[in-house]
Amino acid sequence: MSNLTILFVCGAGLGSSFAAQMATEDVLKAKGIDAKLDHTDISSAASMNADIIITAENFRPQFAKFNIREQTSIVYLKNIVSKTEIDEKLSPVLQQKGLL
């Protein structure tokens, strides 16, 4: 059982972050990785402790202003529901964290 926490972030913490969460669930399941998944809005994200934050590329400037803890990896997606892109960008992070 992994205690990996992945946080999905969008502007309001509802639509797109939840869509990304569902797409990522499938990617993780295919890899046999169990993680705690949650979604939130961008203003709450900085205060939450997550191992990985997954968000849309257009939020990169806002995240640059936040003081995100060093051990949190941020994955930026151009297409937040693309399982291919999620897999490509998330796999190296999972490897780096010793999960793959």
Side-chain angles (χ1 to χ4, degrees):
M1 176 102 180
S2 164
N3 56 1
L4 177 71
T5 303
I6 302 178
L7 190 61
F8 298 85
V9 179
C10 67
L14 296 168
S16 59
S17 60
F18 187 61
Q21 178 178 334
M22 291 185 356
T24 303
E25 270 175 2
D26 291 342
V27 172
L28 292 171
K29 191 179 284 183
K31 296 180 178 310
I33 293 178
D34 186 39
K36 179 181 181 292
L37 308 181
D38 205 356
H39 53 274
T40 191
D41 62 282
I42 192 153
S43 54
S44 305
S47 63
M48 297 175 77
N49 283 339
D51 298 303
I52 301 170
I53 291 175
I54 296 180
T55 191
E57 183 65 52
N58 56 312
F59 291 120
R60 192 183 287 264
Q62 280 127 301
F63 273 100
K65 296 176 197 156
F66 288 154
N67 186 10
I68 303 288
R69 61 190 196 127
E70 203 176 296
Q71 56 274 48
T72 299
S73 304
I74 304 179
V75 175
Y76 294 100
L77 301 173
K78 288 183 182 74
N79 177 350
I80 58 154
V81 293
S82 165
K83 292 178 190 173
T84 305
E85 185 182 3
I86 291 167
D87 193 11
E88 281 172 8
K89 292 184 173 174
L90 186 56
S91 291
V93 175
L94 294 170
Q95 278 179 318
Q96 181 190 350
K97 295 189 178 294
L99 296 162
L100 279 183

